[in-house]
Amino acid sequence: MSNAMDQPGPVGEPSQDAPFALPTPDLTLVALAPAAALDLASGGTGGFTWIEGGPEQGTRIGAGLMAKAAADGAYVPGWGTYVLVREADGLAVGAMGFHGAPVGGRVEVGYDVVAAARRNGYATQALRALSAWALGSVPVVFARTDPGNEASQRVLVKAGFVRVPSAPESPTYELRPASS
């Protein structure tokens, strides 16, 4: 399987056959094609070379959700899983993506970074880029965290998300377009 980075398409115009890429200063977010998502969910690499210890279980779960959506005919290109590829060496260091296509003007995002690549600002960079892309189509991007996951909560705040009233067991953060 070739690396999906070989086939980037225009941002905002993804197609099922040609994943697209979103650049950040240190990473490129590469949208997985459904077949690559299925491979990743099934224990493969998704066509990427991963940093030691990767991919994380959350990446495999997210890829599995995307693969299931594709199998059910519910996958909408662009609203799936992205692999975070480090520019310096081409290694995959994590993943980020949507829990599905937007519903009611909102879309949920989730992410993880391989332990060996944490504390480098990768999640914040990726979240800013993916959220900016999403806000071109929906008015709200949101994320839920575990109550004790302070690192993830810090990433959300650094990326501009604001905590909103939510159940204590599922702290929720939202990002809306900046008002003019």
Side-chain angles (χ1 to χ4, degrees):
M1 180 177 291
S2 68
N3 186 324
M5 284 184 57
D6 295 337
Q7 303 171 341
V11 173
E13 296 179 16
S15 76
Q16 197 124 358
D17 297 327
F20 70 105
L22 294 171
T24 76
D26 298 313
L27 306 167
T28 299
L29 284 70
V30 181
L32 282 178
L38 180 60
D39 177 65
L40 193 54
S42 302
T45 65
F48 295 86
T49 302
W50 289 83
I51 192 169
E52 182 179 341
E56 294 282 337
Q57 188 60 27
T59 294
R60 294 194 188 282
I61 291 169
L65 292 172
M66 181 184 152
K68 181 178 181 339
D72 294 345
Y75 168 67
V76 178
W79 301 103
T81 301
Y82 294 75
V83 173
L84 312 181
V85 178
R86 189 165 54 191
E87 288 295 319
D89 57 13
L91 294 176
V93 297
M96 182 172 290
F98 302 105
H99 291 206
V103 174
R106 298 168 47 92
V107 68
E108 185 172 6
V109 68
Y111 50 89
D112 62 21
V113 173
V114 177
R118 291 183 186 151
R119 303 189 58 87
N120 289 296
Y122 297 146
T124 302
Q125 284 182 39
L127 187 56
R128 285 177 178 151
L130 194 57
S131 296
W133 178 83
L135 289 172
S137 299
V138 297
V140 179
V141 177
F142 74 100
R144 292 179 249 208
T145 69
D146 291 326
N149 192 342
E150 294 176 8
S152 185
Q153 293 167 18
R154 281 192 302 273
V155 166
L156 289 162
V157 170
K158 286 180 188 174
F161 284 68
V162 175
R163 187 162 179 180
V164 296
S166 53
E169 66 276 5
S170 185
T172 302
Y173 293 75
E174 289 184 349
L175 181 66
R176 295 171 181 267
S179 48
S180 21

